[in-house]
Structures are given as C-alpha cells and as structure tokens.
Amino acid sequence: MKILVTGGTGYIGSHTVVELQAQGHEVIIVDNLSNSEREVVDQIALISGIRPAFEELDLCDQSKTDALFAKYPNIDGIIHFAAYKAVGESVANPMIYYRNNLQSLMNTIDGMRKYNISNLVFSSSCTVYGQPEVLPVREDSPVQAAFSPYGNTKQISEEILKDSVNAYAGLNVIALRYFNPIGAHPTALIGELPLGVPNNLIPFITQTAIGLRQQLSVFGSDYNTPDGTAIRDYIHVVDLAKAHVIAVDRMTKGKGKSNFEVFNLGTGNGFSVLEVINSFEKVTGEKLNYKLVDRRPGDVEQVWADTTFANEELGWKAALTLDEMTLSAWKWELRLQEKRNSK
Ligand code: NAD
Ligand code: WQD
C-alpha cells in the first residue's frame, strides 16, 4: 500500500515509517521540518534499507498541499502526525497552535476529498480525558474541557473528523489516543528531539543524567497515589508505531466497525514518576539528581488506559516494558551526546 505520513520525520512519525516499511508499505513523508530534521530520512533509510520519498512542505499552505496530492496519486491511506505539541507554548501562543494544528488537518481532509483518498489515521491524545473519574480510562469515557489550547486542538480535530466522515461518503477515520509515548528505536538511530529545555519527563531525566540539566524537579509528591507522585501510562514508541500500521491496514482492508473509530494506545499499566526514575537508575546504572517540588499546574493526578478495545479489535498489545523504554531513551541520549561532542 502507498501511505502518506504527515509529520513523518518527527518523533512518532519516524518510528511509524520504519514499521510501515517493515510491513512492505511504500511511504511518502511530508514534513515542514518545524520540529524535526532532514537527516531523519537518512536514518530511516539506514534502519530499513529503503529510502522513503520526502517532501518538505507546510500543510497549512493549501496550494502546495494540493500539489502534493496531485504529485502522488493513488494513496491508500494517510497517517496524520503533523502538529505542534508543546502544551506550555500553546498556552502562551494559542493562535499559532489553532492555526497550525487545525489548518493542516483541514487542508489534508480537502486533499483527501479531491483526490479520493479514503483512509486517515489521526494522532489524538489521552489529554482529551482530563482527569477521568473512572480508571483505567475507556474510549467511551467523557471528553473533558481541555486544560490547554494544544489539548483543545486535539478535541476540535476529533470533532472536525467526526463531522467530515458524516458529511463525506467514503471517508474513514481512526483516531488513536496516545497515552505517554517514550523511548526510542533499539538502533538509537531515531528518537525524540526536544527543542530547548524539555517539558516532558523522559527527556528531562536523560538530559539530567548526561549533565545537560542540573537537577530533575519531580512535580508533586502529595498526590493520592501509593508513593505520592503522579501516575501515567508510558508506552514504548515502537509499540505505538506498530499500532498505526495495524490501524491503517484495518481501514484499507475495510475491517472497521464504523467510519469513525477511536482507540486508546497505552500499555494499560500506570507508573509513578518515582517508579520511572527507579527504572531509569536500575537499567542505566546512573544516579539521577532529583528533588521533590510542588505540583505542576494543570497536571492530572493519575491516568492510565483500558486497552481492551485496542487489544481485541486491533489484535495489538503493547509488548515492551518500562525498563526497555527507559533503556532505549538512555541509548538515544548517548547518541545525541556523541553528535553534540562531534560538533
Ligand atoms: P513531533 O514534533 O516530533 O512531530 C511532528 C512533526 O510534524 C514534526 O516533524 C514537525 O516538523 C511536523 N509538522 C508540524 N506542523 C507541520 C505542518 N504544518 N506541516 C508539515 N509538517 C508539520 O511530535 P510527535 O511527538 O512525533 O507527535 C506526533 C503527533 O502525535 C502530534 O500530532 C502530537 O500532537 C501527537 N501526540 C504526541 C504525544 C507525545 O507525547 N509525543 C502524545 C499524544 C499525541
Ligand atoms: C509526565 C509526569 C509530570 C517533567 C504531556 C502532555 C500530553 C501528552 C503527553 C501530547 C507528570 C512529571 C514531568 C518534569 C516531572 N502530549 N514530570 N518533572 O504531562 O503526562 O503529558 O505529554 O498529547 O498532552 O500534557 O507528560 O512527560 O510532561 O509528564 O515530575 O520535569 O512527569 O508532572 O506527572 P504529561 P510529561
């Protein structure tokens, strides 16, 4: 199958391209490199032995997006990763987030309609659940008012997609709600590239251990959890990537139960911040400098996924452990350090 991957040089996109290629799919990447590097295409080719087509393009540019669809006829499916994702930045600069995340999606949908492309997998997020009342959280749990413009773009995008499948016959969408993707490819050739000071836990841990940051602040130690720190459902990015291949196959083979489906992608297990730190220290042998500080505003206390629907319907289950996640993240940080040192 011919699959267009938007945001394909990004963190999750690049891992998904590798898994698509491993299953024999032909991949076209489109990315404006606003949060990734062209070199990722070379790294993908090194891992898979196949160089994906790459188009540097801003999906907010409607005429260029149209030209892209015209250039690549007969696309069987699209996996739409392209979006900005920094929660804090979205609070400071909401218009940038609404414009980029919504316009790029709408232009993609327009292209699908014009060029008769039926299938779209969309990157959504567990952020749509806020702090769920019932854990683990199922797909039919209510969507709650978003904490940030970023989170709101995910909710609005899901609404845009729902309205689109209702209005435009032949359009199928699977929205995948990721929990907390972490880790990197086992080759350490691709991984997450955080810009500036990381907001997310894992890059902050690895950058502290390598000496780029002085100390990790553990946000909140008085939560109503066994060790007082917040709980998340961390999922290895390679497991996450594999689910995208299954989702796109499901649509191209017409196996979907409806034209708009939603799946939680997590492991189904929650780990606290301290448990993540312990795993990191155990698998790497590094001692992490951290301190317990106040809660971070806007953080939920605990959330983890009920993955029954994804397990049963997609036949997919996350396989990699927390130790494998933290070790692969560390190997990736070591590789980044090698690159920094060679500059
Ligand atoms: P990323 O920033 O690494 O990848 C996104 C890619 O999209 C980047 O390469 C960026 O250059 C590109 N891009 C952004 N706007 C674009 C535009 N207008 N035109 C073309 N390319 C554009 O992020 P990621 O972590 O790989 O996330 C991928 C998707 O998954 C995003 O939609 C994100 O919101 C969603 N998501 C991520 C997480 C997470 O924790 N990483 C969790 C839930 C959902
Ligand atoms: C995880 C835990 C922090 C940094 C965010 C987005 C969400 C989704 C995933 C895209 C929390 C704690 C963190 C640090 C810490 N992205 N922490 N010290 O907040 O669950 O979700 O990324 O959709 O939308 O909001 O992930 O990695 O930032 O935090 O103690 O320096 O680690 O408080 O409990 P989060 P995270």
Side-chain angles (χ1 to χ4, degrees), residues 260-296:
F260 184 83
E261 296 186 301
V262 176
F263 293 98
N264 283 344
L265 295 184
T267 63
N269 302 310
F271 288 102
S272 73
V273 177
L274 289 180
E275 285 175 315
V276 175
I277 293 172
N278 288 341
S279 160
F280 177 81
E281 289 187 330
K282 184 182 73 184
V283 298
T284 64
E286 299 288 325
K287 187 90 196 79
L288 193 73
N289 181 21
Y290 69 89
K291 68 167 179 212
L292 307 179
V293 302
D294 287 347
R295 296 178 180 194
R296 181 170 69 175

Side-chain angles (χ1 to χ4, degrees), residues 85 87 124-127 148 150-151 154 178-182 198-205 216-220 223 229-232 234 273 296 299-301 303:
K85 62 165 181 177
V87 175
S124 191
S125 168
C126 70
T127 188
S148 71
Y150 164 74
K154 291 298 170 195
Y178 313 154
F179 281 65
N180 286 60
I182 61 169
N199 295 305
N200 295 115
L201 179 63
I202 287 293
F204 209 105
I205 288 178
L216 170 80
S217 294
V218 174
F219 298 133
Y223 284 113
T229 63
I231 292 178
R232 297 288 183 275
Y234 298 94
V273 177
R296 181 170 69 175
D299 268 354
V300 302
E301 178 171 273
V303 61

